């Protein structure tokens, strides 16, 4: 069922979700640890950290996987609109959640 039109809609949706998450993170109070909702870890933080791996996997020392999996064809991103929406703040939040709340390195 792949079509170019479906792919364009998917890119738009991904960008919209990333933009919403980035705005939500920016709207959180600045003192202390910042989470996506309130002042404590929520399922949304965990879901974000894990889902972010599809667009930007953690480095090999933290997320060992076959090198053939890394890159835009499987795990990663080559779309400029998605890359622009995947802000440094969102990547830093992913790293924060892994460092503070999830096990590193990831074990498959």
């Amino acid at each position: 069922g792949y079509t170019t039109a479906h792919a364009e809609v998917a890119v738009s949706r991904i960008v919209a979700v990333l933009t919403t998450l980035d705005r939500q993170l920016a709207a959180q109070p600045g003192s202390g640890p910042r989470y996506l909702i309130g002042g404590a870890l929520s399922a949304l933080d965990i879901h974000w950290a894990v889902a972010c791996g599809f667009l930007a996997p953690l480095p090999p020392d933290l997320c060992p996987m076959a090198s053939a999996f890394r890159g835009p064809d499987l795990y990663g991103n080559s779309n400029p609109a998605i890359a622009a929406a995947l802000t440094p703040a969102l990547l830093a939040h992913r790293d924060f959640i892994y460092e503070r709340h999830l096990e590193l390195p990831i074990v498959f």
Side-chain angles (χ1 to χ4, degrees):
Y2 174 85
T3 67
T4 302
H6 287 145
E8 290 171 5
V9 168
V11 167
S12 296
R13 181 70 178 129
I14 292 167
V15 168
V17 168
L18 292 175
T19 300
T20 299
L21 289 172
D22 191 53
R23 287 181 184 155
Q24 177 64 29
L25 185 60
Q28 292 299 96
S31 63
R34 289 173 37 171
Y35 295 94
L36 285 164
I37 300 172
L41 181 69
S42 72
L44 181 58
D45 295 297
I46 295 170
H47 286 291
W48 162 246
V50 174
C52 184
F54 289 104
L55 300 174
L58 289 165
D61 61 319
L62 299 178
C63 182
M65 68 171 80
S67 59
F69 289 154
R70 291 185 180 272
D73 293 333
L74 293 176
Y75 292 93
N77 170 59
S78 62
N79 184 285
I82 293 172
L86 191 56
T87 65
L90 287 174
L91 293 172
H93 188 65
R94 172 206 60 191
D95 296 348
F96 166 73
I97 296 301
Y98 267 103
E99 290 165 6
R100 179 150 310 177
H101 299 287
L102 301 174
E103 183 177 341
L104 287 173
I106 296 171
V107 178
F108 294 95

